[in-house]
Every structure is written in structure tokens, then in C-alpha cells.
Amino acid sequence: MTIGPDLAGAVTAFNRFGLGARPGDLAAAAGDPRGFLLEELWTANVALIRDRPPPSGPAALQAYYLDQQRKRAERMSMAMAPPKAPPPVVPSMAPLGPAPPEGASMTPMAAGQSGAPREATPESPKPQPQVEQALFRAEAVARLQKQLQARLGLVERLVAFWSNHFAVSVAKSAELRAAAGPFEREAIRPNVLGKFAALLRAAESHPAMILYLDNQNSVGPNAPPGLFAGKGLNENLAREILELHTLGVGSGYTQADVTEFARILTGWSVAGPESEAGAIGSFLFKPNWHEPGQRTLLGKTYAEAGAEQGRAALDDLARHRATAGHIATKLVRHFVADDPPADLVDALAVKFRDSDGDLAVVVSALVADDRAWRAKPTKIRSPLEFVVGAARATDYVPSDPGLYLQALNLLGMPLWRPAGPNGFSDLSDAWSSPEGMKSRLDLAWFMGQRMHAPADPLAAMKAVLGDTASGETSEAIARAESREQALALLFMAPEFQRR
């Protein structure tokens, strides 16, 4: 028996698991939607940005530090320079008039009034963008191009998922604005389809994570700086690893475990401009800041081994049963439903444990599971998925990331700027408030005018929604007064908004 094309399955593949179809994509995937997903998932190096990547993390931080040094030197030079003498007063060549009445102001006349006109001042040059802002925009361009060029977008969705799981925020400092993009490219992308233990190690030791959670300031109480300089322990990194990145809330760890883990992670730092060791802007372990001795975390004792003590603890956390359940729950919530089906979560948790945390194997199991395909499209697209999906639907490739960044800001999901270490919400309620939908409507009209409207709006609808569009949606688009209006209606259609 010959099985015909599965256009509805192709729509699910692109919308639920990917970043939305481009013209012609549904037909390419309709023969085997699941196989189409798996083919992208198992393509070698598919997550890496290889086409003119921005500077590495160390190079970006070095550029930022050098720029800061230059600015400090300029400020110091200006402060030490002798004060400039005031310009000489040049008498006016206009005829002398009567003396002003007593008490009148002696302020010089404005240009355009009687008296000598002022000379025109040259227009001030436009200020150059800050180094960290230029680096940030370069990273945004590279990320957007990768998302738009992806064949389906499953792997790019995974990159965004894990970048949000291991959240850092550019709102914290200018250093983070320079380091957040490299964090995603260097810690997330190379490991997004590998073992979770490798991803965990890379994320927690990246300078962006250390700077975001202040571990560069954490000193063991019995290390020399702690004993003699009064420097203290910082528990931020240890707490977020246990609560957000691995075990999850309610998994049985205690405050004593948080403190002990923080001691294990003392010395994990970043080489700054004044560091005597390590390449500037890279991970640096400071032995004299590390809490000496063996430590006990979750009932297991770790021998003193410097930085390896922390890596050994991370490896065990990556393989913990609670971590498998926490990661499986988040993956199912992200791709399938706000209320994750327990049986599907359990199946992925087992696959996680049996494969030693092989993330490609776990996601392959999700893609292959009928329960992930049968679920109703109740989840609303996140702002990222909405904006990128609209651009892919029209084959719109902006030359500047401004629209992309402004749209994410407007919709409450600014790039690499969550409100806290728990990242952006993965629940539909976070994005479907009346205010949020009003912002989407405004943006849909704007994008409908900016993006290249297809000659036939109904053909555009068919290209991205197949036969899943309702009669009401088809009629509204057919009756639109212009192609631009039709495009905006397509973007706001329930079938486009939900996945």
C-alpha cells in the first residue's frame, strides 16, 4: 500500500519541533516528517556557527577589558591636564549703542539678534557603539542567520532551550554583554547533541556563567584570602546548579549541600586584565582561593583534587536520577505541553539514564514517540519562535539585526536578557496575556509591511500551514485589503500562533 504525503505531519514537524516552514519546506518534509527531523538532528556539527563566527569568548572579553583600560587612561589624562584658559573676550565691532538700563542683563546676544553673529559650530561626529554592544550585535546577526538558514530548526530550538536552561543575562554588566554570545556558541552549541555531563561542565566553567553568578568572588573560608583578607564564600553558582541546572527543586538536597558544593567550586574564576596566570578572558582556577580538604555532597565524599573536585561533582550530578527527571520534564514541557504527560516524561527520563545522558538519543526518542505528535497544539509560540517563524514564512533575511532585537524586546523576551537565572518562562500563559497579544498584533502589522509580501497571500498561508488553516482563517486572509494586511492576518492566525 502506498502512503501519500503527510502535510499535517510536516506542519507539526516545523511548528512543534522546529522554527516554522519556509516556502517549499512542507512538500520536502511531507514524505517522512519524523525522518526529516531526525536527519537534521543527526547531521554532524549542525549546531555550530562556522560561517564567519564572531570573536571567541576570551577575545571578546579582552577587547572589552582593553577598551575599559583605554577609557580609564583618557579620563585620567583629562583629570591631570592643566585647566584650559578661557577664550579672550573680543570686543564687538558693532556701533556702540546707548548704555543698557541699570539692572539689565549683560548676557551676550543670541545669534540672529542684533550684534555680532555667532560662528556656526561643526556638527558633532556620531558616537561609535560601545565595544560590548558591537560584539553583542555581531553575535545576534550570527544567531539570526543560523536560525533563518536552518533546514527545519529543531537543533536551533534545542540551542535556544539549553541557552535558556543555563541562563545568563546581559543586563548584569557590560562584561556579560560581551560574553553572552560566546557562551552560547562555545558552551551550548558544541555540546547540545552530546552527553549532558559535557554540556554541564562546559556551561558551569564558562566565564559568562562564572561572572553572572559571581563565582569569581567566592573564596574558601580556610583558603589564605579567606583567613587573612576576610574574603567570603558565594553560593550563587552552587545553588543554581542544584536548583535549576541539574536536580531541580524538591529533589532532596539541603542547604548544607549548597554550602558544601559552593566550597567545592571555590577557585573557579576568570582571568582578568590583572591576572598573573591564564589567558585573559578565559576560565582560571585559583588554587589559593580553593577551600582545602575533602568535601561531602549528597552523601558522597570527594577527595581534594583542585578543580577536578568540582568536575567530579558535576559529573555525578549529571547522572543523578533526579536530573534525568528534571531534564525530561523540561523538554516535554517545551515541545509538547505546559502540563507534561507523566508517561512521556518517564519514558524520556529512562532514555536519559540508559544512554548516560546522551541528548541526541533523548531528543530522538521524543521525536519518535506518538504521544509527542498526538498532543493538541495548545502551546503558544514564544516571542523568538514567532518572530523567526514570520521571517522564515516570507523568506525575509534582514541585513541588520535591529528588527529582530526590537521585536524580542517589544514582546518581553530580549535576547540573552532574562530577569533571573531561571531564564524565560516556558509556559504559554507568560506570552498570551492581553498586553502580550496586543504587542504581537502591533508587531504583526509592522512585519507585514516590512517583510516581502508574497504575490498570493493564500499561497503563502498554504506554504506554511498546509491544510491546517481553518475556514475562518482562509476567508479572513482572502478578504484582506492588501497583501501586507493579509500577511499580518496570517501571522496572527491561531494556527500560526499555536504549536
Side-chain angles (χ1 to χ4, degrees), residues 154-214:
L154 170 60
V155 174
E156 287 304 301
R157 283 277 299 280
L158 290 169
V159 169
F161 170 85
W162 287 113
S163 187
N164 193 56
H165 179 81
F166 295 104
V168 301
S169 176
V170 301
K172 170 134 188 178
S173 67
E175 278 178 299
L176 263 298
R177 199 160 189 82
F183 171 73
E184 185 175 278
R185 278 191 300 111
E186 297 166 351
I188 305 299
R189 287 185 178 278
N191 300 292
V192 72
L193 297 174
K195 295 294 184 71
F196 180 70
L199 174 60
L200 184 65
R201 278 193 179 202
E204 309 305 353
S205 63
H206 196 279
M209 183 66 73
I210 290 172
L211 291 169
Y212 179 53
L213 295 176
D214 303 307

Side-chain angles (χ1 to χ4, degrees), residues 16-383:
R16 175 161 300 169
F17 297 101
L19 284 171
R22 298 164 300 186
D25 279 345
L26 293 185
D32 182 9
R34 300 189 198 198
F36 202 75
L37 284 164
L38 293 172
E39 183 179 351
E40 180 185 271
L41 189 67
W42 289 98
T43 299
N45 300 318
V46 65
L48 301 184
I49 294 177
R50 292 173 172 251
D51 184 17
R52 292 175 294 176
S56 68
L61 282 173
Q62 286 176 38
Y64 168 73
Y65 293 142
L66 286 172
D67 185 58
Q68 293 300 299
Q69 289 176 341
R70 178 186 60 79
K71 290 177 179 176
R72 283 194 295 270
E74 288 178 353
R75 289 193 296 269
M76 186 175 296
S77 176
M78 291 177 63
M80 296 179 65
K84 293 183 179 179
V89 177
V90 180
S92 173
M93 298 304 292
L96 291 176
E102 186 176 352
S105 171
M106 297 298 289
T107 304
M109 295 179 180
Q113 296 177 339
S114 58
R118 295 179 179 176
E119 292 185 8
T121 56
E123 185 178 345
S124 300
K126 292 183 179 181
Q128 293 297 312
Q130 301 287 339
V131 166
E132 64 272 17
Q133 177 65 5
L135 291 165
F136 174 83
R137 289 178 69 85
E139 293 285 356
V141 169
R143 187 190 212 239
L144 176 59
Q145 289 177 343
K146 188 73 172 173
Q147 291 166 342
L148 296 179
Q149 293 167 2
R151 188 180 186 196
L152 191 143
L154 170 60
V155 174
E156 287 304 301
R157 283 277 299 280
L158 290 169
V159 169
F161 170 85
W162 287 113
S163 187
N164 193 56
H165 179 81
F166 295 104
V168 301
S169 176
V170 301
K172 170 134 188 178
S173 67
E175 278 178 299
L176 263 298
R177 199 160 189 82
F183 171 73
E184 185 175 278
R185 278 191 300 111
E186 297 166 351
I188 305 299
R189 287 185 178 278
N191 300 292
V192 72
L193 297 174
K195 295 294 184 71
F196 180 70
L199 174 60
L200 184 65
R201 278 193 179 202
E204 309 305 353
S205 63
H206 196 279
M209 183 66 73
I210 290 172
L211 291 169
Y212 179 53
L213 295 176
D214 303 307
N215 209 71
Q216 78 279 11
N217 299 322
S218 186
V219 181
N222 296 299
L227 289 170
F228 304 115
K231 294 182 180 291
L233 191 67
N234 188 297
E235 297 182 350
N236 290 352
L237 180 59
R239 177 175 289 104
E240 305 309 350
I241 291 174
L242 296 174
E243 178 179 323
L244 300 175
H245 302 166
T246 58
L247 307 180
V249 177
S251 54
Y253 67 87
T254 66
Q255 175 57 41
D257 289 316
V258 173
T259 302
E260 193 76 338
F261 192 24
R263 293 190 179 109
I264 290 173
L265 294 173
T266 50
W268 286 42
S269 188
V270 179
E274 313 302 327
S275 295
E276 297 179 357
I280 296 174
S282 62
F283 171 80
L284 174 66
F285 179 70
K286 297 180 177 180
N288 63 322
W289 286 39
H290 180 64
E291 177 72 0
Q294 65 181 24
R295 309 254 68 85
T296 301
L297 174 65
L298 298 170
K300 180 172 180 177
T301 299
Y302 295 86
E304 171 58 66
E308 289 304 317
Q309 190 180 52
R311 295 188 181 109
L314 287 176
D315 288 348
D316 286 338
L317 288 170
R319 295 178 172 92
H320 198 284
R321 186 180 186 88
T323 299
H326 182 54
I327 299 303
T329 299
K330 290 195 68 173
L331 281 169
V332 177
R333 178 180 294 123
H334 177 76
F335 284 102
V336 181
D338 284 353
D339 186 13
D343 53 350
L344 182 54
V345 170
D346 291 343
L348 288 196
V350 169
K351 189 67 67 172
F352 186 99
R353 295 194 301 270
D354 290 350
S355 66
D356 191 28
D358 190 315
L359 298 176
V361 170
V362 173
V363 177
S364 294
L366 175 66
V367 168
D369 200 301
D370 289 342
R371 289 166 291 194
W373 294 77
R374 290 197 303 262
K376 293 181 179 179
T378 57
K379 286 192 70 74
I380 193 168
R381 276 176 159 165
S382 73

